[in-house]
């Protein structure tokens, strides 16, 4: 299996074809973006931290019975994944109010959400990823009713597992975003799980340990990602 041509360059990762038609290589770059790409920076070590972080989480999820596209780490910044036909929606679960929920509903940041909430967003930067619901997904045929159900079930299963894992390590998993894709008739977890796509707070102090440090200019962004990794037991090079 050899690396082929660049297929797609996203804001933080690049996807390459391989000589195996069913496998892609995902390259994690140091490029960091926020606010639909309006704020950009290069953060040293981010590519390798997120690649190793994602590998660890995906392996934990697979062990717990959640099928993912992740196959193996190839090196510090690259992983081998299954080629998915991506479903163009983002699935967001929230355990604590923060971010766009606070702006949209005027609730206080830090309010515990019981039960946790689930939201769909359309993946469309030009439209600023608008919030959508099941009816939009069905009407525009972005996914079937069965796929919608599977995305919800899997996203909440991930929540049960990861919330407990973060709590054990002295952290609160505030919210996160997942993306799914189709592979041989099955819905698999795709994209990545890293501090770029979730919110994590220290359980004692409430200190933010995720991409909000970049969004809000709090500094020590990658140091915080490394701290989350260290507490979870992610092996970093
Ligand atoms: N998120 C993401 N990519 C996006 C939008 C959101 O990874 O395009 C993550 C974000 O990091 C947070 C969660 O999804 O952990 C919920 O984000 P929110 O809706 O609060 O939006 P934001 O405040 O990030 O604009």
């Amino acid at each position: 299996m050899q690396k082929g041509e660049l297929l797609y360059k996203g804001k933080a990762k690049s996807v390459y074809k391989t000589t195996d038609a069913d496998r892609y290589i995902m390259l994690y770059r140091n490029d960091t973006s926020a606010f639909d790409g309006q704020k950009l920076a290069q953060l040293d070590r981010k590519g390798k931290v997120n690649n190793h972080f994602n590998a660890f989480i995906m392996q934990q999820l697979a062990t717990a019975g959640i099928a993912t596209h992740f196959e193996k780490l190839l090196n510090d910044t690259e992983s081998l994944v299954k080629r998915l036909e991506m479903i163009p929606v983002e699935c967001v679960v929230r355990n604590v109010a923060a971010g766009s929920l606070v702006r949209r509903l005027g609730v206080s940041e830090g309010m515990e959400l019981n039960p946790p909430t689930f939201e769909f967003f359309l993946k469309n930067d030009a439209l600023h990823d608008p919030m959508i619901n099941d009816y939009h997904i069905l009407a525009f045929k972005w996914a079937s009713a069965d796929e919608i159900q599977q995305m919800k079930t899997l996203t909440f299963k991930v929540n049960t597992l990861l919330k407990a894992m973060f709590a054990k390590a002295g952290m609160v998993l505030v919210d996160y975003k997942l993306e799914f894709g189709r592979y041989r008739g099955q819905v698999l977890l795709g994209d990545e799980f890293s501090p770029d796509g979730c919110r994590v707070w220290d359980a004692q102090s409430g200190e933010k340990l995720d991409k909000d440090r970049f969004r809000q200019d709090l500094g020590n962004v990658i140091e915080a990602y490394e701290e989350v990794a260290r507490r979870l037991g992610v092996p970093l090079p």
Side-chain angles (χ1 to χ4, degrees):
M1 204 273 315
Q2 280 187 346
K3 191 170 172 181
E5 67 179 273
L6 175 69
L7 186 74
Y8 171 78
K9 186 173 180 189
K11 292 193 286 278
K13 299 190 293 294
S14 302
V15 180
Y16 291 86
K17 288 186 177 177
T18 71
T19 44
D20 178 344
D22 279 337
R23 302 285 181 279
Y24 285 157
I25 290 173
M26 278 196 351
L27 167 71
Y28 287 76
R29 309 193 313 271
N30 288 340
D31 297 312
T32 310
S33 77
F35 312 121
D36 294 324
Q38 287 177 54
K39 179 171 179 168
L40 297 169
Q42 282 278 318
L43 298 179
D44 260 6
R45 309 193 299 286
K46 192 186 75 129
K48 71 179 176 190
V49 171
N50 279 1
N51 185 37
H52 284 275
F53 196 105
N54 176 68
F56 177 84
I57 297 285
M58 292 278 175
Q59 280 160 355
Q60 297 280 325
L61 295 178
T63 302
I66 294 173
T68 85
H69 71 155
F70 178 80
E71 298 238 308
K72 63 174 181 178
L73 274 172
L74 294 174
N75 55 53
D76 277 349
T77 55
E78 291 179 319
S79 286
L80 186 68
V81 298
K82 292 189 176 71
R83 177 172 65 92
L84 302 187
E85 182 196 337
M86 293 307 290
I87 298 172
V89 303
E90 301 184 337
C91 301
V92 170
V93 162
R94 302 175 192 270
N95 297 305
V96 175
S100 73
L101 184 74
V102 166
R103 295 194 294 275
R104 198 170 349 110
L105 301 185
V107 297
S108 309
E109 183 180 71
M111 183 185 165
E112 199 178 321
L113 303 172
N114 189 14
T117 62
F118 182 97
E119 295 154 356
F120 280 123
F121 295 89
L122 178 65
K123 269 186 78 71
N124 186 320
D125 274 348
L127 297 177
H128 310 293
D129 293 351
M131 188 157 82
I132 53 172
N133 67 30
D134 304 32
Y135 291 89
H136 302 114
I137 296 177
L138 289 171
F140 297 108
K141 305 206 171 5
W142 291 317
S144 69
D146 179 53
E147 288 170 338
I148 289 173
Q149 192 48 52
Q150 286 192 63
M151 289 193 283
K152 288 180 184 171
T153 304
L154 289 166
T155 303
F156 277 116
K157 205 168 163 192
V158 168
N159 197 42
T160 305
L161 291 163
L162 295 189
K163 208 164 67 166
M165 192 192 300
F166 279 77
K168 242 194 230 169
M171 296 175 286
V172 179
L173 180 60
V174 171
D175 59 30
Y176 58 89
K177 182 265 298 178
L178 300 180
E179 295 180 28
F180 295 89
R182 307 176 183 101
Y183 184 80
R184 299 182 181 168
Q186 213 194 337
V187 173
L188 302 191
L189 177 61
D191 192 51
E192 70 177 284
F193 190 102
S194 75
D196 266 4
C198 65
R199 288 193 170 91
V200 181
W201 296 349
D202 178 81
Q204 294 301 316
S205 66
E207 189 186 5
K208 294 177 178 173
L209 301 171
D210 53 70
K211 199 159 94 173
D212 273 348
R213 299 200 70 81
F214 175 67
R215 295 187 187 97
Q216 300 172 9
D217 291 320
L218 299 176
N220 294 326
V221 179
I222 301 309
E223 288 77 2
Y225 287 24
E226 287 167 335
E227 172 64 12
V228 177
R230 189 191 63 74
R231 290 193 199 179
L232 292 175
V234 177
L236 290 182

